[in-house]
Amino acid sequence: MFKKISLIFLFSCGIFNCYAQQTIPFRITKHNNIIVKTLVNKKDSLDLMFQIAMEGASISPDRQRKADHIVFNKDEISENNTVQIGKLTLNNIRFSDNQLTGHEADGKIGTALFGGKAFKIDYDHNQFIIYNQKPDLKGYQPITTLYEEEAFYIAADNIIDGDKQQEAYFVLQSGYSGGLLYSNDFAAEKELDKKLKITGEKTLKNSSGKSIVTKQAILPFLKVGNSVLKDVSAGFFVGDLKKQTVNYFGADLLRRFNWIFDADRKTVYIKPSKYFSEPYYKIN
């Protein structure tokens, strides 16, 4: 009788799915950053910001909590660390020292969290899900991704002038709290300073007197897959110093979708989250 009950249980929960995933809870700050509570080397309790554009981990010089048990070499690198998050233990994690991070975080941790497996960023339930088997993709749409130098790139259509679509590739950047941040080349080529509605700007100068101007603007429409976002917050740089070489798809836009990344990092599946129509984050 016991054997029959056991078999019924296995089939009812779907033999291949009962142990097909692990869950990592997180919280989202008011700046749209994802924070994960960790225990490093069984000694240091650290709040680390999830950075999708890196694989390893790092410690901030502005951290609020001690990280005395992460030992760095002369190159500010620490190898073979363990990171515990709830019941999950990650081994052989590399930490870099003195990297700035987001608000409320002692450092950063990247996609090493997922060990090369398929994973989900579930903004509806504030959790990551790591899959051992193929996840349920019902209701999700696929988007081709390019994975290079620890970063994910996706293509999106920018409606800048009338109904003309301008395709651009964006780096998914969970460390940037805002919406879009355009590269210098894209901003200049598309004349964003003239064609977008400017909502604010700041001018900074370095010790040589060279200036950098950051401008905040509104993009009328952004199309990501089959989803269209309206009046999107977008930033770009003008002036003497312009160092933005890639376009960013920031945390304010990331939170508007739930994301499932496949194990080979060639496709991501997206579905609008509960934040899809929320007001846009304002860059101060």
Side-chain angles (χ1 to χ4, degrees):
M1 183 65 177
F2 178 77
K3 289 183 178 179
K4 288 182 179 179
I5 293 173
S6 298
L7 286 172
I8 289 171
F9 171 75
L10 285 172
F11 281 105
S12 66
C13 68
I15 290 177
F16 300 106
N17 292 318
C18 281
Y19 305 100
Q21 61 188 40
Q22 291 176 299
T23 301
I24 300 173
F26 61 71
R27 67 178 176 90
I28 304 175
T29 71
K30 65 180 181 180
H31 301 286
N32 301 320
N33 299 132
I34 290 175
I35 303 294
V36 179
K37 286 192 171 297
T38 69
L39 181 66
V40 181
N41 295 331
K42 300 182 179 181
K43 297 288 185 179
D44 298 323
S45 296
L46 300 173
D47 282 4
L48 299 181
M49 183 196 79
F50 173 63
Q51 171 55 286
I52 195 171
M54 67 185 288
E55 289 182 357
S58 66
I59 293 298
S60 170
D62 299 327
R63 62 186 177 271
Q64 299 299 307
R65 298 164 186 82
K66 292 182 179 180
D68 296 339
H69 299 86
I70 305 174
V71 180
F72 293 96
N73 62 24
K74 63 180 182 180
D75 298 317
E76 299 188 330
I77 299 295
S78 179
E79 304 279 5
N80 303 318
N81 298 280
T82 62
V83 177
Q84 293 172 256
I85 307 168
K87 296 180 180 179
L88 177 67
T89 299
L90 305 171
N91 297 308
N92 301 317
I93 301 298
R94 169 187 279 199
F95 275 85
S96 300
D97 201 6
N98 292 315
Q99 288 190 13
L100 295 177
T101 188
H103 300 275
E104 304 178 35
D106 304 305
K108 298 179 286 189
I109 190 163
T111 54
L113 274 174
F114 313 117
K117 297 178 180 179
F119 68 94
K120 179 180 184 179
I121 308 176
D122 185 347
Y123 283 98
D124 285 342
H125 301 97
N126 285 13
Q127 63 185 10
F128 298 114
I129 299 175
I130 306 170
Y131 297 99
N132 292 323
Q133 304 291 338
K134 185 176 181 179
D136 181 6
L137 299 173
K138 184 178 179 180
Y140 285 79
Q141 55 176 306
I143 295 178
T144 299
T145 57
L146 177 65
Y147 188 67
E148 279 190 356
E149 297 181 355
E150 303 187 7
F152 291 93
Y153 292 76
I154 64 168
D157 289 325
N158 306 260
I159 317 300
I160 297 170
D161 191 7
D163 59 356
K164 188 175 181 181
Q165 297 184 9
Q166 305 283 351
E167 185 182 65
Y169 276 87
F170 292 87
V171 174
L172 302 185
Q173 176 52 270
S174 57
Y176 176 65
S177 296
L180 300 176
L181 183 62
Y182 287 109
S183 70
N184 301 327
D185 289 345
F186 188 90
E189 180 185 344
K190 307 305 179 186
E191 298 182 310
L192 299 185
D193 197 21
K194 298 177 181 178
K195 293 182 178 179
L196 295 184
K197 178 183 177 181
I198 306 301
T199 59
E201 66 176 70
K202 287 184 179 179
T203 301
L204 301 173
K205 290 188 177 182
N206 67 5
S207 58
S208 301
K210 292 185 177 181
S211 64
I212 179 171
V213 180
T214 62
K215 294 201 174 189
Q216 293 300 313
I218 296 175
L219 177 72
F221 298 98
L222 179 73
K223 186 178 180 183
V224 186
N226 296 325
S227 299
V228 178
L229 292 155
K230 183 180 179 181
D231 295 333
V232 178
S233 176
F236 57 93
F237 298 100
V238 297
D240 302 322
L241 300 174
K242 295 182 290 186
K243 297 182 179 180
Q244 188 66 26
T245 59
V246 296
N247 302 310
Y248 280 172
F249 191 98
D252 188 29
L253 295 180
L254 283 167
R255 73 184 176 115
R256 295 172 192 275
F257 299 90
N258 293 317
W259 305 75
I260 298 177
F261 294 82
D262 67 1
D264 66 9
R265 309 299 188 242
K266 293 181 179 179
T267 308
V268 63
Y269 302 85
I270 66 170
K271 181 171 72 172
S273 75
K274 64 184 180 182
Y275 298 110
F276 188 81
S277 300
E278 288 288 302
Y280 289 98
Y281 179 85
K282 292 183 179 180
I283 300 289
N284 294 324

